[in-house]
Amino acid sequence: MSVLDPWRQALRPLIPKGFLRRDQRDGLFVSDYPRYGDAPAVSARIESAGFRAAISDGLAHIVPEAENAAALLNAAPACMPSITDENLFLHSLARRIAESDAPLTPETEKTVWTALKYLDAEDMPGLYRFLSPAAALAQRQRLLLPGGLGRMILRYISECKGQKS
Amino acid sequence: MKKNQQVLLSVMGWTHDDDDPSDSVRLLTTGTLSGEQDRWRIDYTETQPDNESSDVILTMGRGVVTMQRTGPYGTSMVFEQGHRYEGSYRTPFGNLAMGVFPTHVKYKVEDGMAGQVDLTYQLDLQGQFAAMHELRIRFCPAGKP
């Protein structure tokens, strides 16, 4: 099960027509449901399920509300996979993030969404290339990334030994 | 491995963060350069104003620079662009967890054993951002301009 599947499964029944994919922009998911009729009603259903939908150019960019996001991040169990030559850098980065008890904030949510999309795509080299400088920048700005993100990455590493980071 | 070459070193360092103006250190010293092709090592001694001295070993190879410093504030650092390395920073009062995230790593050694090492890195201590550091080292064979 991919990391975004719980939200994907919650959203899919709410969108009667149109695709639902990972967003290549700032959102987490993107859908073209506004092209198929009653977009306000679909948006209202999505919002009542704990998401925000911003429509632009016929596409809806969807992210979870803070409470919904916190529920997924906080549900990530703590685990400590063994360190290998392949996962060394990502392991170290994820372990450091996992130590944080900070909540998701508007300042850090774009970073978290992007990291989750890499994780969902199982693109570990891409995740490390993105997250390493992003985490350094957040640290320089005195922003703390939520520990749940680090725990989700560690859990993924523990389930997918041998993936290169 | 080539014989050790005595070199004259100019070491310049700047420290700054978003809030504070930069602080700089300049040092002229002599050291030794050894190595060949893409494996180089420089040994030199830094003497502080209070006469406390520390030996520094710099190695350069395959795009990675390492620095080991002895003395009461001894440390080992690995600089590879885009990779955060963790280590510890020794002080007379105890050790601190240290992280180094380099944003610029460049070195060059010319045929005449002159060259440069340029590093820019973000330093964190105990998981908290400490400062951005820049280090510029220039060296040339001792006795030559």
Side-chain angles (χ1 to χ4, degrees):
Chain A
M1 191 174 186
S2 141
V3 294
L4 296 182
D5 277 351
W7 285 336
R8 199 175 273 117
Q9 287 165 6
L11 285 166
R12 187 65 267 184
L14 308 176
I15 300 171
K17 209 168 181 187
F19 63 70
L20 177 69
R21 299 175 184 158
R22 277 193 301 273
D23 198 346
Q24 294 184 347
R25 288 168 52 182
D26 291 342
L28 203 49
F29 297 102
V30 63
S31 172
D32 63 345
Y33 72 77
R35 291 177 179 155
Y36 298 98
D38 197 1
V42 177
S43 295
R45 282 202 299 272
I46 286 172
E47 282 164 21
S48 66
F51 297 87
R52 295 194 307 266
I55 295 175
S56 109
D57 297 331
L59 294 172
H61 302 277
I62 304 167
V63 295
E65 292 284 8
E67 202 171 300
N68 197 6
L72 185 81
L73 291 169
N74 294 338
C79 66
M80 194 53 68
S82 54
I83 298 170
T84 66
D85 286 348
E86 286 75 27
N87 70 28
L88 173 65
F89 288 113
L90 189 60
H91 188 292
S92 160
L93 181 62
R95 183 181 45 73
R96 187 164 57 89
I97 294 170
E99 288 168 0
S100 155
D101 55 4
L104 183 69
T105 63
E107 291 79 19
T108 56
E109 67 175 28
K110 273 188 193 173
T111 301
V112 173
W113 302 153
T114 305
L116 289 179
K117 284 186 280 187
Y118 277 111
L119 200 54
D120 188 62
E122 303 187 352
D123 180 359
M124 294 298 108
L127 174 61
Y128 181 74
R129 275 197 307 274
F130 162 73
L131 193 54
S132 187
L137 178 64
Q139 190 179 52
R140 202 155 64 235
Q141 294 171 330
R142 271 89 174 172
L143 298 172
L144 287 173
L145 297 174
L149 175 63
R151 291 195 299 276
M152 289 176 87
I153 296 169
L154 288 172
R155 186 182 63 171
Y156 184 86
I157 292 173
S158 72
E159 290 170 356
C160 304
K161 288 171 186 159
Q163 288 269 353
K164 284 198 170 186
S165 64
Chain B
M1 187 75 88
K2 286 187 179 177
K3 263 175 67 175
N4 288 356
Q5 167 75 52
Q6 283 284 112
V7 287
L8 182 64
L9 291 137
S10 158
V11 181
M12 291 175 288
W14 295 268
T15 303
H16 53 89
D17 67 21
D18 296 337
D19 303 323
D20 294 330
S22 82
D23 196 8
S24 66
V25 176
R26 285 165 187 265
L27 170 76
L28 272 177
T29 187
T30 55
T32 56
L33 170 68
S34 56
E36 58 187 346
Q37 292 181 344
D38 194 26
R39 293 170 64 89
W40 300 99
R41 172 179 164 143
I42 297 174
D43 294 68
Y44 66 93
T45 300
E46 275 185 10
T47 303
Q48 306 296 332
D50 58 2
N51 282 332
E52 193 84 61
S53 70
S54 58
D55 295 328
V56 179
I57 302 170
L58 269 179
T59 68
M60 300 158 272
R62 296 183 175 184
V64 180
V65 175
T66 71
M67 177 185 277
Q68 293 173 65
R69 185 186 301 275
T70 64
Y73 292 89
T75 186
S76 293
M77 295 179 175
V78 180
F79 303 95
E80 184 175 7
Q81 194 160 323
H83 286 304
R84 181 177 183 275
Y85 278 86
E86 296 178 348
S88 67
Y89 180 60
R90 193 166 66 233
T91 80
F93 315 102
N95 291 354
L96 295 170
M98 180 184 71
V100 173
F101 183 80
T103 55
H104 179 73
V105 177
K106 185 180 172 188
Y107 60 85
K108 184 169 73 176
V109 183
E110 293 168 352
D111 287 344
M113 304 290 266
Q116 64 187 70
V117 182
D118 293 344
L119 303 170
T120 305
Y121 58 97
Q122 179 174 327
L123 182 75
D124 61 83
L125 293 170
Q126 302 292 92
Q128 302 292 315
F129 171 68
M132 291 298 294
H133 290 251
E134 290 181 52
L135 188 64
R136 305 280 177 265
I137 297 174
R138 301 288 181 268
F139 51 90
C140 63
K144 290 190 179 179

